[in-house]
Amino acid sequence: MGSGSDIIKIHIKIAIILFILISGISLFLNRPGLFSLDNYFNNEKNQIIYPDTSKEKKYETEVEIYIDLSKPDTKKAFITMIFYCFSSTYYFKQMGPEKEFKFEQVKFYDKNGAELKYNKNGRNYYLPRTDSNKMGITYSVEPGGLERHARQGYVSEDFAAFDGRIFIMPNNALKINKVKLQFQVPPQWQIINSYRKEGKWYYPDIFGKELVYESLIKSSMIFGDFEKKRKNYGNTDVFVYCYSKWEKERKKTITHKTFRLYEYFFKEFNLNPSGPYIICWLPGTSDNNIFGGTWSNSISYYEKEEDNLRTWEVLSRRIGYSINTYKPTGMVLRDQDDIWFNEGWVSYMEIISLVAAGITEDEYRWNKNYNTYLKYLREHPEYDCPLIDDYKITDPNIKEFLHYYKAPLVIKMLDVEMRLKTGKNMQQFMQYAYKKYGRFKKPFPFKVELEKFTGTSFEEFWNIMIRKKGYIIPVWKEYITSEIKSNINKSRGLIISGEKFSIDYFFYIASNGYVEKYRDLITFAAEEGAYRKKIKSRNTIYPDITGKYIYGFPPQVRYLLRSYEKERLGFTSVEDVTFKPDIKNKSCRILCQLMEMEKIYENNLGKNGITSIYITGNNNNRILAFHYNNIIALHTEWLISGLEASFELLSPNGKIYEKKNFTVEPGVCNTTVNFEKIRPQIEGIWIIRIKHNEKILLERAFWQK
């Protein structure tokens, strides 16, 4: 055995080794970037053990955030937040909606790390007391819930992306002066954001203290294996990230297009946020797009496997918001009546920018948008409303109609009117406006500046297209397609007071209830011709699209043009109406026959106890015509009651196609009967006949196409 001194030396060496080992483990666990709940939670006392950084003296409202993504297979981020120097905190709130972000295992702690109880109401957490010096929160969050257009954030074994909606913040979060974040991620994963980095800490303060909170909540945070490319524009470094596992050519194409699109906004509007600007293209999921956040310093979005045009339109939209909405680079509209212009302009720019940047040559996108607008009017006319009311709208379906379709088309009409009146255009105006009002210099009075810039009034345009529902007409040259050009060679239908009308147009008017009688169609058409002559006699308010091509317009478009002209001109009287039908045309002969049968119907009204027979369409308006697959809702107004009646629907061959027996109860003066049987898909005259004891009381003819 060794001497006592040798044993003491051995013990000292063991103690030194143990001290070094324990110190090393402690340093490892406490090193920046590895804040794990497993390392900092005392299960016996049910307490959190704050990191050493929390011992530093704090003099301002500060938040320290640790995001643990080391277990991506759970699809969750594990988050610890420490709040310093907060006062008057009444509750905390989950920033992301619960259907999009799943918050679990939420715990609050006082300054000593002891757990605090709370009451939860919706997304809010109410604590019985708060400590203004220091508080902690731990929780897990699973992003990726579906919003209307995409999954909101995502965590997977390949990558993660989200914005600050994953956080739980106090009600007085706008007071925050300082935020710093650390991240724990799997090996090989990059940490991608536009924050300022110092050591292991990330600071969302590149736009100053006043925007720290907004930068934290709205900026993208991306994690994974991505390939980076960089270009400089002014004082801004633009970084484009593509998922590293994509094919080389695909990454090259996406990167090239992305830089071209950003460069367009830089050159056109001098978009120059300063600092880093991140655009990250995410790998997708099998079932939906992924939206990882967007602000004036970052955009993260899922790029579909195919080179999808809509993806580039969305990117244009997000960059466009940096011009007219996002802080600190954007603008703020002075008047709430102009709120519609924000969303309308970025939708307008989706088409303008992609063509200008050479990403697509498809200027016919205006026609596609217009066709969607027309479809909305047919299927959901209740969605249409004045653009001036945009700020009042809460229904997401109406907002989508206004923001993506109606508003950009109205701006297109405004752009054309600007060019015709002054030679200036919308792009020039927005360059002028952004230079004067960009970076939130002062509130932007849209209409005032528009009239100042062009030197002309747009009050008439505003009265029709902004303050009222308005009527969008296709003023862009691309609308005159080969199909419309070929339509002008079709059978002429009718000529009324020198103006050509197709029979399809007359059927459209009759089937939508725009006239009450068949002979009113002639007056209706004559008025339209008078509007058009008056428009042409003064300075035109749109390109010459109303010449030889108007006859080739679809009926719905021609009606909108007529309505727009009527609104612009007001009442116009008509005299000496001439009517010249094309007798060789079967539909014209049917219409002439219907007008004659209408006279017989009117002569018999009231003679046998019936004062009116009419049918209603989808909007409950009275119509004169219907399609073969429409249900016929027949309404009868009676002078007599207390009888058994039969209602017969006669086909063009004179045979009964459908029959309904109905009891008109005593005292009843209005009845409704539905003919629901699908009719043959042929054009002709269908007669509704009402009988009592085999006696014909009244009949009326209607038009089917």
Side-chain angles (χ1 to χ4, degrees):
M1 289 185 64
S3 65
S5 61
D6 291 333
I7 294 173
I8 292 172
K9 289 179 181 179
I10 292 171
H11 286 172
I12 291 172
K13 288 180 180 179
I14 292 172
I16 292 172
I17 292 170
L18 288 172
F19 175 80
I20 293 171
L21 182 61
I22 292 170
S23 299
I25 292 172
S26 177
L27 287 171
F28 175 81
L29 292 176
N30 284 283
R31 79 185 196 275
L34 274 181
F35 185 86
S36 170
L37 297 188
D38 295 335
N39 299 331
Y40 286 90
F41 196 78
N42 187 325
N43 287 309
E44 292 182 4
K45 295 185 177 181
N46 199 33
Q47 287 185 332
I48 189 173
I49 303 172
Y50 289 113
D52 289 341
T53 54
S54 68
K55 297 177 182 178
E56 300 169 3
K57 189 70 174 176
K58 309 292 182 181
Y59 298 98
E60 57 183 354
T61 51
E62 181 178 332
V63 186
E64 211 169 272
I65 302 173
Y66 301 83
I67 299 178
D68 183 354
L69 289 166
S70 61
K71 301 175 183 177
D73 56 310
T74 64
K75 297 186 177 181
K76 298 176 182 179
F78 298 88
I79 298 176
T80 298
M81 304 180 72
I82 306 171
F83 297 85
Y84 302 99
C85 300
F86 277 80
S87 59
S88 303
T89 300
Y90 302 109
Y91 63 89
F92 285 76
K93 182 176 183 177
Q94 297 170 183
M95 301 311 297
E98 292 189 326
K99 67 176 183 178
E100 299 167 13
F101 297 84
K102 187 177 180 181
F103 292 80
E104 294 179 327
Q105 299 173 305
V106 180
K107 293 184 179 182
F108 290 82
Y109 305 92
D110 66 12
K111 64 181 179 180
N112 298 315
E115 187 174 348
L116 295 170
K117 293 182 179 181
Y118 61 82
N119 293 316
K120 187 172 185 290
N121 184 6
R123 291 158 59 185
N124 294 343
Y125 298 85
Y126 296 90
L127 284 77
R129 62 183 176 85
T130 60
D131 194 308
S132 61
N133 292 322
K134 182 166 62 177
M135 278 193 63
I137 311 176
T138 62
Y139 60 94
S140 68
V141 59
E142 181 181 345
L146 276 174
E147 190 256 3
R148 287 176 64 83
H149 303 296
R151 291 196 175 279
Q152 300 300 293
Y154 203 65
V155 176
S156 71
E157 295 186 57
D158 295 319
F159 74 99
F162 41 74
D163 56 21
R165 288 174 294 169
I166 65 167
F167 297 130
I168 296 175
M169 302 298 288
N171 64 283
N172 51 354
L174 291 176
K175 294 181 178 180
I176 294 173
N177 288 314
K178 183 179 180 181
V179 175
K180 56 182 183 178
L181 303 94
Q182 283 191 23
F183 305 95
Q184 181 177 352
V185 298
Q188 308 304 318
W189 276 26
Q190 299 162 265
I191 298 171
I192 303 169
N193 56 56
S194 57
Y195 300 154
R196 177 176 63 86
K197 186 180 180 185
E198 190 175 304
K200 294 290 185 179
W201 291 103
Y202 292 81
Y203 299 85
D205 59 5
I206 60 172
F207 293 134
K209 285 186 177 182
E210 64 276 8
L211 290 178
V212 163
Y213 170 75
E214 196 156 356
S215 179
L216 175 68
I217 299 302
K218 296 183 178 180
S219 299
S220 298
M221 291 173 274
I222 309 105
F223 313 87
D225 189 7
F226 293 85
E227 186 175 298
K228 176 178 71 174
K229 297 293 181 182
R230 170 188 169 276
K231 276 192 177 183
N232 177 263
Y233 298 94
N235 298 323
T236 303
D237 288 322
V238 178
F239 295 90
V240 176
Y241 290 85
C242 288
Y243 188 49
S244 61
K245 293 181 181 179
W246 285 342
E247 294 180 359
K248 181 179 179 181
E249 195 59 35
R250 181 184 180 193
K251 289 184 286 189
K252 181 180 178 182
T253 299
I254 291 173
T255 301
H256 184 55
K257 286 184 176 181
T258 304
F259 281 130
R260 285 214 313 266
L261 189 56
Y262 183 89
E263 185 174 303
Y264 166 78
F265 281 93
F266 172 72
K267 289 182 176 179
E268 191 79 358
F269 302 102
N270 193 29
L271 176 61
N272 189 13
S274 299
Y277 189 97
I278 307 295
I279 301 175
C280 186
W281 294 103
L282 306 173
T285 65
S286 60
D287 63 345
N288 222 296
N289 298 348
I290 295 172
F291 174 68
T294 178
W295 198 46
S296 54
N297 60 5
S298 55
I299 301 170
S300 60
Y301 194 69
Y302 160 45
E303 207 279 321
K304 297 178 185 293
E305 289 300 321
E306 67 274 14
D307 195 1
N308 186 282
L309 185 60
R310 183 60 196 152
T311 301
W312 295 104
E313 289 174 341
V314 170
L315 178 60
S316 167
R317 187 180 199 86
R318 301 300 176 184
I319 298 175
Y321 282 136
S322 295
I323 300 290
N324 74 343
T325 303
Y326 292 155
K327 294 180 180 179
T329 55
M331 299 186 285
V332 58
L333 289 163
R334 187 190 69 181
D335 305 314
Q336 65 180 6
D337 290 352
D338 296 331
I339 292 298
W340 66 271
F341 183 71
N342 274 344
E343 292 291 338
W345 184 76
V346 291
S347 294
Y348 171 84
M349 288 303 298
E350 287 180 9
I351 298 177
I352 297 294
S353 64
L354 295 192
V355 173
I359 292 175
T360 178
E361 297 178 357
D362 187 9
E363 293 188 358
Y364 288 94
R365 294 287 290 176
W366 291 115
N367 293 353
K368 183 177 180 180
N369 271 28
Y370 189 55
N371 288 336
T372 304
Y373 162 78
L374 297 175
K375 184 179 180 182
Y376 268 107
L377 293 187
R378 292 192 300 270
E379 298 179 0
H380 295 285
E382 71 277 10
Y383 288 1
D384 197 15
C385 62
L387 288 174
I388 200 173
D389 293 335
D390 180 44
Y391 71 94
K392 303 175 185 177
I393 303 299
T394 57
D395 187 317
N397 295 310
I398 299 177
K399 279 186 172 292
E400 180 165 317
F401 166 68
L402 295 179
H403 295 172
Y404 287 86
Y405 303 104
K406 182 174 183 177
L409 290 168
V410 169
I411 294 173
K412 181 66 172 176
M413 286 181 66
L414 180 58
D415 173 67
V416 170
E417 187 152 333
M418 289 170 66
R419 293 172 188 267
L420 290 169
K421 281 185 172 182
T422 69
K424 297 179 180 179
N425 60 53
M426 182 58 65
Q427 293 301 89
Q428 293 168 342
F429 168 65
M430 283 299 287
Q431 291 167 1
Y432 157 83
Y434 187 62
K435 184 176 182 180
K436 187 172 181 179
Y437 295 96
R439 304 194 79 88
F440 288 80
K441 292 186 182 76
K442 52 185 175 180
F444 171 33
F446 171 46
K447 182 172 179 288
V448 172
E449 282 292 356
L450 179 69
E451 293 178 336
K452 180 180 177 181
F453 176 75
T454 57
T456 190
S457 172
F458 288 94
E459 187 66 13
E460 190 177 33
F461 185 91
W462 245 250
N463 282 336
I464 298 173
M465 300 305 301
I466 311 300
R467 299 185 181 112
K468 297 179 182 178
K469 290 182 181 180
Y471 308 93
I472 296 175
I473 57 176
V475 293
W476 47 96
K477 65 181 186 300
E478 294 83 9
Y479 187 71
I480 309 301
T481 61
S482 57
E483 181 181 358
I484 286 179
K485 291 178 180 178
S486 67
N487 284 345
I488 65 173
N489 298 318
K490 290 183 178 180
S491 175
R492 66 187 182 185
L494 306 97
I495 298 177
I496 298 175
S497 298
E499 184 89 7
K500 291 170 58 178
F501 294 89
S502 71
I503 199 69
D504 288 342
Y505 182 56
F506 272 32
F507 180 84
Y508 175 82
I509 300 304
S511 63
N512 279 279
Y514 297 141
V515 294
E516 295 182 359
K517 302 174 183 179
Y518 289 109
R519 62 178 176 272
D520 290 344
L521 288 167
I522 309 305
T523 306
F524 184 93
E527 288 175 349
E528 180 174 324
Y531 294 138
R532 199 143 299 129
K533 288 176 183 177
K534 196 169 182 179
I535 285 284
K536 290 180 179 179
S537 68
R538 67 184 204 177
N539 291 333
T540 183
I541 53 173
Y542 41 65
D544 188 20
I545 62 169
T546 60
K548 60 181 180 180
Y549 293 123
I550 190 171
Y551 182 72
F553 283 7
Q556 186 183 10
V557 177
R558 181 163 185 168
Y559 174 73
L560 289 174
L561 178 59
R562 177 197 193 274
S563 301
Y564 180 76
E565 292 170 338
K566 180 181 179 181
E567 190 74 46
R568 199 119 194 189
L569 292 171
F571 175 75
T572 297
S573 60
V574 293
E575 298 176 356
D576 302 324
V577 178
T578 60
F579 171 45
K580 184 180 179 182
D582 181 1
I583 301 302
K584 295 180 181 179
N585 185 298
K586 175 186 175 183
S587 298
C588 284
R589 294 197 302 272
I590 289 174
L591 180 57
C592 292
Q593 189 177 352
L594 284 165
M595 285 190 282
E596 292 301 317
M597 297 175 76
E598 186 173 61
K599 294 177 184 178
I600 299 172
Y601 160 74
E602 290 176 339
N603 288 335
N604 289 322
L605 285 176
K607 291 182 178 180
N608 294 308
I610 300 177
T611 59
S612 176
I613 295 175
Y614 64 91
I615 59 176
T616 54
N618 294 333
N619 298 324
N620 293 321
N621 51 332
R622 299 187 183 193
I623 59 176
L624 298 171
F626 45 78
H627 293 279
Y628 76 98
N629 56 354
N630 294 146
I631 293 175
I632 298 175
L634 170 66
H635 305 270
T636 308
E637 296 179 350
W638 300 84
L639 289 174
I640 57 176
S641 61
L643 72 155
E644 297 294 327
S646 63
F647 298 80
E648 299 173 349
L649 177 64
L650 279 63
S651 65
N653 62 13
K655 295 182 179 180
I656 297 175
Y657 185 77
E658 189 173 358
K659 182 177 180 179
K660 301 277 186 176
N661 294 318
F662 193 87
T663 301
V664 183
E665 300 290 346
V668 171
C669 55
N670 294 282
T671 60
T672 301
V673 173
N674 290 332
F675 292 104
E676 300 172 339
K677 188 177 177 181
I678 298 296
R679 298 171 299 283
Q681 192 174 351
I682 55 173
E683 183 180 8
I685 296 174
W686 289 71
I687 295 174
I688 291 176
R689 178 181 292 167
I690 303 176
K691 297 166 69 175
H692 171 59
N693 292 334
E694 296 304 314
K695 176 186 176 182
I696 298 175
L697 301 180
L698 190 64
E699 60 183 24
R700 187 175 186 183
F702 293 93
W703 187 6
Q704 174 181 293
K705 269 179 82 70

